[in-house]
Amino acid sequence: MKLVLASKNQKKLVEMNDILSHLGIEVCSEADAGVDVEVEETGSTFEENSLLKARAVMEASGLPAIADDSGLCVDCLSGAPGVYSARYGGEGLSDEDRYKILLENMRGQLTRTAKFVSVITCCFPNGDVLSARGECPGTIAYAPMGDGGFGYDPVFFVPELKKTFSQLAPEEKNAVSHRGKALESFKEKLEEYLK
């Protein structure tokens, strides 16, 4: 089965294929499916935005489409950046710019608990929808560490592993990450759906 990823993020594409490929599922890019969809993320929840993206790409491509909406929720910032994680601080900023703004906004904060949230949604041309949510608790480091991953990974610290997401090997990250958990849950639902 082929799913179209409703995202232009190549690292997300690799992560999804790593986790879903052993089900015989190939996740391809929008470009591979011959579509280029810009979806305005107007939802107020990860669930709403994930559904908006998956539905738009499914309708454009005619193929089942999978979307991930994820973000970082920081307790001392009342859950921010949340659904605005990719746009935190404004348009046109790099990942590094965004996590530097986050660290600046947390200056002096001793409570640094946070969680990454991921919601995976798959829309099928017959109208069926599968959805799964995953969360990974952690804390925000005082400075970036590591050079792997993307987004807020350099500042998201996992206490049990004593490392940031950026310091973890891909298989270590997939085992504990919000997206890894959401994809594992999604995989179980998809296996059931395909029976």
Side-chain angles (χ1 to χ4, degrees), residues 74 76 103 106-114 138-143:
V74 180
C76 70
L103 292 176
M106 291 182 67
R107 186 185 296 271
Q109 286 289 344
L110 299 179
T111 302
R112 302 185 75 83
T113 51
T139 61
I140 303 302
Y142 287 91

Side-chain angles (χ1 to χ4, degrees), residues 111-176:
T111 302
R112 302 185 75 83
T113 51
K115 66 182 175 184
F116 260 128
V117 176
S118 171
V119 174
I120 306 286
T121 303
C122 187
C123 289
F124 295 88
N126 68 0
D128 289 346
V129 176
L130 293 179
S131 185
R133 181 182 176 106
E135 295 185 1
C136 179
T139 61
I140 303 302
Y142 287 91
M145 295 180 281
D147 52 15
F150 57 96
Y152 297 93
D153 288 0
V155 296
F156 187 77
F157 187 78
V158 184
E160 310 85 78
L161 301 176
K162 297 181 174 45
K163 291 180 178 177
T164 66
F165 267 8
S166 283
Q167 294 172 305
L168 298 175
E171 54 279 359
E172 286 179 297
K173 180 183 171 188
N174 289 344
V176 299

Side-chain angles (χ1 to χ4, degrees), residues 44-60:
S44 59
T45 64
F46 296 113
E47 284 79 3
E48 289 171 5
N49 284 332
S50 183
L51 179 61
L52 284 170
K53 293 187 279 190
R55 185 174 285 143
V57 171
M58 179 273 294
E59 288 171 353

